[in-house]
Amino acid sequence: MGGNAGTTIGQQRLNVFTQAASIWGAALDSSVPINVLATWEPLTCTATSAVLGSAGALSVNRDFTLAPFPATWYHIALANRLAQEDLDLAQNDIRARFNINLGNAGCLTGAGWYYGFDHNEGSQTDFLTVLLHEMGHGLGFQTFTSGSTGAYFNSFPSAKDHFLRDDTTGLLWSDPTETDPQRVASAITGLGLTWTGANSNAYGMANMADAAQLVVTGSANAGVNASYYVG
């Protein structure tokens, strides 16, 4: 499939893992090896929908040498990179699971895994894209603060919380005056939660146009009078 020279399904799967790791590895500058524990398992699915996979950090660390923010949880792979040493030698860094039944009858029927490197998956599911996405979560694109309760994990914010701004209160998720209910509300507002990283802001200003809005006024139903993002 698509440049993947594996002659068995297992070999093709392993080749895609290697390809994804190579792509991430070329973008990272950590001197500490990042170990991923991955398995194929029957994950939740129906004939028309499915959990493709999941991944996340196996452990977190805080207040280590060279940590940018004190009293803050960091994914172990990111913490190792910042500390320039392996802070948890006893276990792997990322735990990943992928759906072994995908494409079978009753599990997103017919839309099984595509193991090529060329993204010509057609009606199938591009395994390389899914791998890159899930590995990203394990590397640090994730908060451990609960989206359903707003509570911090073990009483401390996550590194990403220092860059998530509640646009209703104007406070970061890491701000001690931002309450759990306010974090929950901002998480589900759609346009009420903003990423405030300096690099992202600079890129956005240079490359993104304002979103189009539809403004409704004069309606007898006052609840309809508002601005709506439509683009």
Side-chain angles (χ1 to χ4, degrees):
M1 285 187 179
N4 188 336
T7 56
T8 66
I9 291 176
Q11 194 172 31
Q12 288 202 337
R13 287 171 174 167
L14 186 58
N15 288 350
V16 183
F17 266 94
T18 302
Q19 179 76 356
S22 296
I23 292 171
W24 267 117
L28 302 176
D29 62 356
S30 179
S31 60
V32 183
I34 300 169
N35 298 308
V36 182
L37 171 62
T39 54
W40 290 91
E41 300 180 15
L43 303 179
T44 301
C45 54
T46 68
T48 57
S49 65
V51 175
L52 303 177
S54 64
L58 267 171
S59 63
V60 293
N61 209 306
R62 62 178 175 83
D63 297 316
F64 49 87
T65 303
L66 301 178
F69 295 106
T72 297
W73 293 119
Y74 285 83
H75 292 62
I76 190 61
L78 179 57
N80 289 345
R81 185 270 178 200
L82 295 168
Q84 300 176 23
E85 63 174 310
D86 197 328
L87 300 170
D88 191 355
L89 290 167
Q91 65 177 344
N92 294 295
D93 305 307
I94 298 172
R95 179 70 171 99
R97 297 174 176 85
F98 299 95
N99 199 332
I100 190 70
N101 292 325
L102 194 73
N104 294 341
C107 188
L108 206 61
T109 306
W113 293 110
Y114 178 74
Y115 300 119
F117 301 157
D118 58 0
H119 305 296
N120 289 323
E121 69 276 7
S123 62
Q124 294 180 295
T125 304
D126 191 355
F127 187 43
L128 179 57
T129 298
V130 174
L131 264 178
L132 290 169
H133 176 100
E134 296 301 337
M135 283 185 179
H137 288 311
L139 290 167
F141 289 89
Q142 177 188 20
T143 177
F144 296 104
T145 298
S146 173
S148 58
T149 69
Y152 291 146
F153 174 68
N154 284 358
S155 304
F156 293 98
S158 301
K160 296 302 183 198
D161 296 347
H162 291 271
F163 302 97
L164 289 171
R165 188 184 69 194
D166 179 345
D167 290 339
T168 299
T169 65
L171 299 173
L172 297 173
W173 272 24
S174 59
D175 194 301
T177 62
E178 175 85 344
T179 66
D180 292 357
Q182 286 170 336
R183 280 188 285 270
V184 172
S186 68
I188 61 175
T189 54
L191 294 170
L193 189 62
T194 301
W195 179 259
T196 63
N199 291 336
S200 295
N201 287 344
Y203 184 88
M205 292 293 291
N207 296 280
M208 296 175 66
D210 291 335
Q213 294 187 59
L214 170 67
V215 181
V216 178
T217 61
S219 172
N221 183 350
V224 173
N225 295 320
S227 296
Y228 301 91
Y229 284 96
V230 296

